[in-house]
Amino acid sequence: MDSIDKPFDNQKKVKEFCEICMKEPFISVDTEFLRTNTYFSKLCLIQLANSNTAIIIDALAVKNLEPLEKLLSCEDVIKVFHSPRQDIEIFYNLFKKLPKNIFDTQIAASFLGETEQISYEKLVEKYLNIKINKNNQFCNWAKRPLNYSQINYALSDVTYLREIYVKLSYQLSKLKRLDWATEESQKFLDIKLYQQNPSL
């Protein structure tokens, strides 16, 4: 898979990539954000990967993310996340609507006997035999320019996620449990989870 190591900073590139993704059976999705001294998360990056390419959208530079909203709302494309509660909250606050047709690899792994809260890092290590360098996990994602290590870390969140999804869905299909994982993943699409009032 190709990875574009220069974050997309304009709507034209985002639109072109999202249009390609609309033809895919599934994409992987992740975000990087800050939640220090603020009630709502400050979205900094959005990572997407399709069958050929992984990209980063600089959410601080691209102000119009309508192409991404359209992609996330597409029923025909599975959106693969790992433990998506915070990511979906961000998208809900951004677009005032929820994504459609999501799949959570954390839930999927639980149907294969893993602990319910298994981390992304542990899944990558178990299923891909790769250890993720977590040095950038809590870095300042709002600082620009991003360095090489940050970019690689952000891209790995969606490139490995695609591979894990393929492996998990294959094993779940053999056990006739894929529908269970898909159905249970939709629990994150309860709008009540994200309708919060910070004044309360």
Side-chain angles (χ1 to χ4, degrees):
M1 174 182 291
D2 294 330
S3 294
I4 299 177
D5 58 8
K6 188 177 188 316
F8 286 7
D9 58 5
N10 65 76
Q11 188 197 13
K12 183 175 182 292
K13 289 181 179 179
V14 173
K15 183 173 184 292
E16 289 171 351
F17 187 78
C18 287
E19 286 175 351
I20 293 170
C21 289
M22 294 283 280
K23 301 172 185 176
E24 296 271 329
F26 74 93
I27 60 169
S28 50
V29 187
D30 192 41
T31 63
E32 305 297 345
F33 53 86
L34 296 181
R35 201 163 197 164
T36 309
N37 301 323
T38 59
Y39 182 83
F40 294 110
S41 300
K42 180 180 181 180
L43 178 61
C44 299
L45 302 178
I46 304 158
Q47 302 99 281
L48 303 172
N50 59 31
S51 55
N52 295 308
T53 310
I55 64 110
I56 296 171
I57 299 169
D58 185 346
L60 300 182
V62 183
K63 300 306 180 187
N64 186 337
L65 289 168
E66 185 179 341
L68 176 64
E69 178 187 355
K70 185 178 178 182
L71 173 60
L72 293 175
S73 298
C74 179
E75 296 259 17
D76 296 331
V77 182
I78 299 168
K79 274 68 69 174
V80 180
F81 294 85
H82 181 84
S83 185
R85 172 76 183 263
Q86 293 185 94
D87 300 308
I88 292 175
E89 179 184 39
I90 285 171
F91 290 134
Y92 176 73
N93 289 332
L94 189 64
F95 300 129
K96 306 308 176 194
K97 63 197 297 189
L98 296 172
K100 294 180 180 177
N101 195 2
I102 69 165
F103 188 93
D104 176 20
T105 53
Q106 189 176 70
I107 283 175
S110 73
F111 283 111
L112 293 172
E114 303 295 342
T115 59
E116 288 188 6
Q117 302 298 320
I118 188 169
S119 69
Y120 179 65
E121 289 78 15
K122 287 184 178 177
L123 273 186
V124 171
E125 186 171 359
K126 176 168 183 175
Y127 285 89
L128 304 181
N129 198 28
I130 294 171
K131 284 196 173 185
I132 295 177
N133 184 336
K134 297 196 288 185
N135 289 345
N136 290 296
Q137 192 170 16
F138 301 108
C139 71
N140 182 358
W141 291 106
K143 187 178 179 181
R144 298 291 183 269
L146 298 169
N147 62 44
Y148 179 80
S149 177
Q150 287 175 297
I151 289 170
N152 274 356
Y153 176 87
L155 287 169
S156 73
D157 278 348
V158 284
T159 53
Y160 297 153
L161 187 56
R162 280 190 64 89
E163 296 180 57
I164 289 171
Y165 169 73
V166 170
K167 289 178 180 291
L168 292 179
S169 58
Y170 174 72
Q171 292 187 27
L172 287 165
S173 293
K174 286 202 302 181
L175 295 170
K176 295 184 169 46
R177 296 177 184 174
L178 182 59
D179 288 345
W180 300 359
T182 300
E183 183 177 346
E184 186 66 13
S185 294
Q186 308 315 304
K187 72 179 185 180
F188 289 107
L189 300 184
D190 180 354
I191 201 166
K192 294 174 186 174
L193 294 173
Y194 312 105
Q195 291 176 325
Q196 301 173 26
N197 186 346
S199 65
L200 295 180

